[in-house]
Amino acid sequence: MILYLEHLKLKRTGYFWTILAGSLAAAAFPAINMLARAETFTAQQGNGFLILLDANWQMMAMLNLLVIVCGTCIMYHTEYSNNGQQKMSVLPIHGFSLFLGKFVIALSSLAFMILIEILALWGCALYWFDSYTTNIPLLVQNIAFAWLCTIPAVMIMLVIASQCKNMWVSLGIGVILVFTFTIFPRGNLVLDLLPFSTPYAMLHEILKNEQLFIYCFSCIAWTVGFGMAEAVIQRLRCHPPRFNKKMAARKSVFSKRSVPKETAPATGQEPFSKSRFSKEASSLSFAGLVGIEFMKIRRSKIFLILLAPVVLMWVPGILNSGTYFKPQDMSITPENNFFIQGFMGMVWFMIPATLVIITVLLTQTERFGRGILKMLALPVSPIQLCLAKFTVLLALSLIQMLMILAGYFISAAIVSGIHNYNMILDPIFVLKWGIEIFISAIPMAAVFWLIAVLIKTPIFAVGVGLASIVPAVLILNTRIWFVYPMCYPFYLLMVEYGKAVSGMFATSVQWLPWIPVAMAITAAALAITCVRFAPSQTDL
């Protein structure tokens, strides 16, 4: 009965379409990889399925985690929107039973995703590797192991989503967790056993290291532990302790105190009214519109979203600073290694992911309560309003870049003090490089702004944006990388990597045809966004 109710809730939310789209995107990755560079893999000796698993599973597991984050947020967004959670609480159904129903559906969806992905790897191995023979027990074992290792992430995301009424809070926490654990170095057993690290584990490596039992035990322990924590939270929510009741009663007493009425405006001051606001809005310049947009997001906690990736990217660099003195390629200096490795996660995913979330937030702040319709009713040009929001997006991106640079100098100074070695590069070089990264991200920001405006459902807009970031690494190694704006910042970083390590990458930037194509993409994206901005908002 509960599973049927949960299925009905999710039927028209796009949850199942999200699972299907994520499964197909992850399954397509090994096929695209083989089409791009089949000779690299077919020249290797060994089991074709395991070769493809080694080459593609890290990216496929990351896509799985992103889909899990989006799916769990959708599940509880349906509960908290229109006070659905309160309505369900009056029914003779225990809250934890509903949670378990969602957990079972999420596990079923996860099993479907992993099945499709393993079958895709099997199909690629069968097609491209002539000597490969199908081993069904091996396929089943990998499906079961991947499913078990991802269960803790499902449980944790459901717990987070159940406690966050605002979907964007749980979505932001989930995305940060996913990409924080991707940058942790592999090989440290304690870090590898954390819930958002275990999905990257592969069965043949675990068997080789004789760690199967500890992985299985760890996954079960994380799942049971967080499940029990959710049961306790549900219990406290249904039966709050007496202390909370006394505090609620005290608050109700204070709320009954009389509040002084508003004083009349002083002589000569015009009282605030909609007509006065309309007159002011009609005389607003573009700079005034930008200022109003900043006022709208002043209490939206966007600046915390900008700061969180900076902290989460540089703190692990400080904790693992010893690894920069032992690079795999000894030709790179420790200070260059610290700089490149620290910025790699930023330019590949953190900066694009932050842009995705901020673009959707900028559109959703006014869609709730139909505030955008009230803005469009004023004598303000929709094109100017659209460009003002995009300007705010660029300003926020610049603020985050300044935070990233400040985080680099602070963390480099800390590491220098720990190891008594100067890890700080030339500040002029670092600032110049940061400005180049910011400018190279403008076309990507324009594309994400276009996606956020055209796609009304916020979770789909976020899903499309995040999914477009993942293949940037693969497209960067093709000849047509310049047509994909999501890999522009990463391209500049890899050029610096090529300068630091000979033979790793190109040592000079290929300005042509990059610059003309980037300008054309930016202009086209902004033009379409300006044309479709007002119609997409009035169709709410």
Side-chain angles (χ1 to χ4, degrees):
M1 181 63 182
I2 292 177
L3 290 177
Y4 179 70
L5 287 175
E6 294 299 326
H7 175 265
L8 289 180
K9 293 178 190 176
L10 299 173
K11 191 174 182 181
R12 298 184 180 180
T13 60
Y15 171 82
F16 296 107
W17 288 109
T18 302
I19 298 298
L20 180 61
S23 305
L24 295 178
F29 190 82
I32 296 173
N33 209 357
M34 289 299 294
L35 289 173
R37 42 179 186 162
E39 298 81 6
T40 304
F41 303 112
T42 53
Q44 300 180 25
Q45 300 294 325
N47 188 307
F49 173 79
L50 296 181
I51 292 173
L52 292 178
L53 190 68
D54 285 330
N56 299 283
W57 186 249
Q58 300 296 314
M59 200 67 67
M60 297 171 76
M62 184 187 299
L63 282 172
N64 289 342
L65 289 173
L66 289 175
V67 173
I68 289 170
V69 170
C70 293
T72 51
C73 291
I74 291 175
M75 281 183 168
Y76 271 97
H77 178 66
T78 58
E79 296 287 354
Y80 286 116
S81 61
N82 299 321
N83 296 321
Q85 183 81 357
Q86 296 180 2
K87 299 172 184 176
M88 290 297 295
S89 63
V90 301
L91 297 177
I93 301 176
H94 197 276
F96 188 66
S97 300
L98 296 175
F99 177 86
L100 290 179
K102 290 179 172 59
F103 182 60
V104 171
I105 291 179
L107 291 187
S108 303
S109 304
L110 175 64
F112 172 78
M113 292 172 57
I114 294 177
L115 175 64
I116 296 296
E117 292 159 9
I118 295 297
L119 289 179
L121 289 170
W122 168 73
C124 291
L126 204 61
Y127 182 81
W128 271 286
F129 291 83
D130 297 331
S131 60
Y132 173 73
T133 56
T134 302
N135 187 344
I136 294 180
L138 179 65
L139 299 179
V140 174
Q141 290 169 7
N142 277 273
I143 292 173
F145 182 75
W147 181 73
L148 177 63
C149 287
T150 316
I151 290 177
V154 175
M155 174 62 77
I156 291 176
M157 276 311 304
L158 278 174
V159 173
I160 293 173
S162 67
Q163 303 307 312
C164 299
K165 294 183 179 180
N166 190 336
M167 179 182 67
W168 299 108
V169 176
S170 56
L171 183 66
I173 294 173
V175 171
I176 290 173
L177 285 174
V178 170
F179 290 99
T180 298
F181 282 95
T182 57
I183 64 172
F184 283 166
R186 307 294 298 176
N188 187 324
L189 185 60
V190 176
L191 295 178
D192 291 345
L193 292 176
L194 295 176
F196 281 83
S197 293
T198 53
Y200 297 102
M202 290 173 283
L203 180 61
H204 62 283
E205 291 184 352
I206 302 303
L207 292 175
K208 181 180 178 181
N209 297 328
E210 298 180 353
Q211 296 174 341
L212 181 61
F213 173 78
I214 191 170
Y215 264 83
C216 294
F217 178 79
S218 174
C219 292
I220 295 173
W222 282 117
T223 305
V224 174
F226 277 92
M228 294 175 63
E230 177 65 21
V232 172
I233 294 172
Q234 293 283 352
R235 179 72 177 178
L236 293 176
R237 183 178 294 176
C238 297
H239 305 283
R242 294 182 60 185
F243 176 76
N244 288 349
K245 292 180 180 179
K246 291 180 180 179
M247 290 299 294
R250 189 174 299 176
K251 287 181 180 180
S252 65
V253 171
F254 283 115
S255 64
K256 292 178 182 179
R257 291 183 176 180
S258 59
V259 179
K261 296 182 179 179
E262 273 188 37
T263 57
T267 307
Q269 290 184 352
E270 181 184 358
F272 181 81
S273 63
K274 292 182 180 179
S275 60
R276 177 187 172 189
F277 182 76
S278 300
K279 292 177 182 178
E280 292 180 355
S282 62
S283 60
L284 275 178
S285 61
F286 181 76
L289 283 176
V290 173
I292 288 178
E293 293 301 323
F294 271 110
M295 291 178 63
K296 294 176 184 175
I297 63 172
R298 185 172 57 182
R299 299 181 181 179
S300 62
K301 296 184 176 59
I302 281 182
F303 292 100
L304 292 178
I305 297 177
L306 299 177
L307 179 62
V310 179
V311 176
L312 292 173
M313 290 299 292
W314 287 119
V315 170
I318 297 173
L319 298 177
N320 299 285
S321 57
T323 60
Y324 300 115
F325 294 88
K326 302 175 183 178
Q328 294 180 354
D329 193 318
M330 299 304 294
S331 62
I332 187 171
T333 60
E335 60 270 24
N336 282 322
N337 195 17
F338 178 77
F339 176 80
I340 291 172
Q341 296 298 330
F343 275 94
M344 189 168 290
M346 282 288 184
V347 298
W348 172 50
F349 196 85
M350 284 300 186
I351 293 176
T354 305
L355 286 175
V356 170
I357 295 175
I358 291 177
T359 52
V360 178
L361 280 176
L362 288 176
T363 57
Q364 294 302 313
T365 50
E366 291 188 302
R367 285 180 178 174
F368 290 116
R370 298 180 177 267
I372 188 65
L373 298 180
K374 301 170 187 176
M375 285 295 297
L376 294 175
L378 298 174
V380 178
S381 171
I383 294 178
Q384 279 193 337
L385 185 59
C386 176
L387 293 178
K389 289 179 177 292
F390 182 70
T391 304
V392 171
L393 174 64
L394 294 183
L396 294 174
S397 178
L398 179 60
I399 291 172
Q400 187 183 43
M401 178 54 63
L402 295 176
M403 291 180 179
I404 293 171
L405 295 177
Y408 163 73
F409 287 115
I410 294 172
S411 59
I414 295 173
V415 174
S416 299
I418 294 174
H419 297 280
N420 196 22
Y421 182 92
N422 184 18
M423 301 289 284
I424 303 177
L425 296 177
D426 183 11
I428 296 177
F429 162 76
V430 175
L431 293 175
K432 176 178 173 293
W433 187 82
I435 293 173
E436 291 177 355
I437 291 294
F438 166 72
I439 295 174
S440 67
I442 293 178
M444 176 173 59
V447 173
F448 288 150
W449 180 237
L450 173 65
I451 293 173
V453 169
L454 295 184
I455 301 179
K456 299 175 186 177
T457 306
I459 197 69
F460 288 160
V462 171
V464 172
L466 294 178
S468 66
I469 299 171
V470 176
V473 178
L474 180 62
I475 297 175
L476 184 63
N477 294 304
T478 65
R479 296 180 180 179
I480 57 172
W481 62 268
F482 50 82
V483 302
Y484 200 68
M486 290 70 176
C487 63
Y488 289 175
F490 198 51
Y491 171 74
L492 291 178
L493 179 70
M494 292 304 296
V495 170
E496 291 299 327
Y497 200 8
K499 293 178 182 179
V501 182
S502 59
M504 180 62 65
F505 201 77
T507 58
S508 61
V509 179
Q510 184 183 353
W511 297 109
L512 292 176
W514 178 27
I515 298 301
V517 172
M519 294 176 64
I521 291 174
T522 305
L526 288 179
I528 297 173
T529 306
C530 290
V531 171
R532 292 297 307 164
F533 182 74
S536 65
Q537 308 302 320
T538 53
D539 291 342
L540 294 174

